[in-house]
Amino acid sequence: MDLKSRFTGCLIGLALGDALGAPFEGSPSGKKSLQYLPPVLHYSDDTEMSIGVTESLIAEKGFNPDDMAERFYKNFNIRRGYGAGTISVLRLIKKGMHWSEANKKVFPQGSFGNGAAMRAAPIGLFYFNDSKNLKEVTYTASSITHDHPLAKEGALLITTAVSEILQGRTKEEILESLLHTSEIKEYQEKLKTVESFLQKDITAEDVISALGNSVLALESVPSAIYAFLKYGEDYLKTVEFCLSLGGDTDTISAMAGALSGAYVGIENLPEEFIERLEDKDKLQGLSLELLERVINP
Ligand code: AR6
Ligand code: MG
């Protein structure tokens, strides 16, 4: 599969997962119907911040945390449903405080919400062939708003998965690589649970109680990875499973949707929903510009 298809599939897959999940955020577990959604599918903070990450990598021809931080607050639209901590951090940065100070003002150890992992996929795209920079950039880009090791590690699992997918790895190889990525015990244990769940018949309830469905990185990134590894070759099935978890549906399906979208490519995403996705042309354009920067640095 060509890189164009994977880059576009990843970013559109993220935004569509976010937009399909947003109406069900905070819902209880159980199957959701996609029949009664509004004509235009609006995305939330997950996509707005991913746009900031992508625009910054393009404009700066690589990673510049100060530029990325500036884009985060310039793009910021309160109606997109940002986490409370992130809203405060972005306001402090806008007032002139450096991000490396602002990121410790709300939670002294930094946020361990999933707000860094939800926007990390474009970093995985940009550095898919550059493992030396992938980790460092993922950590620092996360730190801008989420300085806690659990938030940064969640983001690293997403960027690592994206880079493995872009390299054409199988799902088994991707899981193997993820099992070796994290040095944090809590993530190692959850990924071992993911591995064992893939061998059995597992319900949404099992995933919620063992892996989680909350706004915390540790309680959502492993669930998104499970959804991708279980259903990833079918984008809509992947997203529908994420929605059935309830809780932080938009972010879990944004993360799983980015992985599935990169895995199957844009041609295999559901056209009837992409047509209704807000800013789909802008997102497609950004993913192609990002690829251009990778090919012609
Ligand atoms: N100590 C205690 N609670 C914490 C800590 C901490 N160190 N870190 C996070 N929390 P936040 P996000 C709790 O605000 O990660 C949106 O819907 C705390 O309750 O940094 O950017 C997005 O779409 C805090 O408010 O936001 C995501 O789905 C919450 O975790 C979601 O919100 C989220 O952390 C998370 O966004
Ligand atoms: Mg959101």
Side-chain angles (χ1 to χ4, degrees):
M1 192 187 302
D2 71 359
L3 287 175
K4 256 190 194 173
S5 173
R6 289 198 194 275
F7 267 60
T8 314
C10 183
L11 206 54
I12 296 276
L14 184 160
L16 185 60
D18 175 20
L20 291 173
F24 304 105
E25 191 176 8
S27 66
S29 62
K31 191 173 158 45
K32 308 293 186 303
S33 169
L34 297 179
Q35 228 182 323
Y36 306 106
L37 296 175
V40 176
L41 301 169
H42 291 283
Y43 56 75
S44 76
D45 57 329
D46 306 53
T47 303
E48 188 160 273
M49 293 203 97
S50 299
I51 289 173
V53 169
T54 308
E55 287 174 340
S56 182
L57 291 170
I58 293 168
E60 296 295 303
K61 302 187 172 172
F63 182 51
N64 172 351
D66 293 341
D67 177 82
M68 200 174 277
E70 189 176 325
R71 284 172 200 274
F72 285 161
Y73 73 71
K74 285 195 169 154
N75 287 351
F76 175 75
N77 173 353
I78 187 96
R79 289 193 303 273
R80 298 278 186 199
Y82 282 75
T86 300
I87 294 176
S88 303
V89 173
L90 293 181
R91 284 189 172 144
L92 290 171
I93 300 173
K94 189 176 180 189
K95 278 193 196 150
M97 188 184 285
H98 194 257
W99 58 265
S100 59
E101 192 184 344
N103 64 9
K104 292 171 200 73
K105 286 287 173 204
V106 183
F107 303 109
Q109 294 178 303
S111 169
F112 46 65
N114 57 19
M118 73 185 187
R119 64 175 192 240
I123 298 169
L125 292 177
F126 191 80
Y127 293 101
F128 86 90
N129 226 347
D130 180 357
S131 57
K132 226 175 74 206
N133 280 310
L134 182 76
K135 185 169 177 177
E136 196 61 31
V137 170
T138 302
Y139 281 166
T140 310
S142 300
S143 275
I144 297 170
T145 52
H146 289 66
D147 200 37
H148 196 284
L150 287 173
K152 297 198 273 192
E153 207 66 7
L156 182 64
L157 291 171
I158 298 295
T159 58
T160 301
V162 169
S163 98
E164 294 282 320
I165 293 167
L166 268 281
Q167 292 175 60
R169 304 268 195 266
T170 65
K171 288 204 278 184
E172 290 71 24
E173 290 167 334
I174 295 165
L175 174 61
E176 196 51 36
S177 155
L178 293 177
L179 284 164
H180 291 104
T181 296
S182 180
E183 282 158 31
I184 296 184
K185 199 173 95 260
E186 291 95 320
Y187 277 110
Q188 288 171 352
E189 283 168 4
K190 290 216 166 180
L191 289 167
K192 281 186 197 138
T193 303
V194 167
E195 185 179 31
S196 77
F197 276 9
L198 292 168
Q199 323 291 329
K200 309 182 207 160
D201 261 348
I202 290 300
T203 65
E205 298 301 333
D206 296 325
V207 172
I208 296 164
S209 65
L211 303 177
N213 67 352
S214 84
V215 298
L216 305 185
L218 184 63
E219 294 178 2
S220 54
V221 173
S223 306
I225 288 169
Y226 170 77
F228 162 66
L229 292 173
K230 179 82 179 175
Y231 302 108
E233 59 286 333
D234 183 332
Y235 177 86
L236 211 48
K237 240 181 168 174
T238 305
V239 167
E240 281 173 337
F241 177 78
C242 295
L243 304 192
S244 78
L245 297 175
D248 198 4
T249 46
D250 57 324
T251 297
I252 298 175
S253 62
M255 295 187 289
L259 302 182
S260 172
Y263 191 74
V264 301
I266 188 70
E267 297 79 13
N268 294 304
L269 263 52
E271 236 180 272
E272 69 276 21
F273 289 113
I274 293 178
E275 274 169 19
R276 292 158 60 191
L277 176 65
E278 175 189 13
D279 284 347
K280 62 173 188 309
D281 294 336
K282 172 178 169 174
L283 288 157
Q284 182 141 11
L286 283 173
S287 50
L288 294 176
E289 273 184 74
L290 189 68
L291 174 58
E292 185 56 33
R293 279 278 179 273
V294 175
I295 296 172
N296 297 311

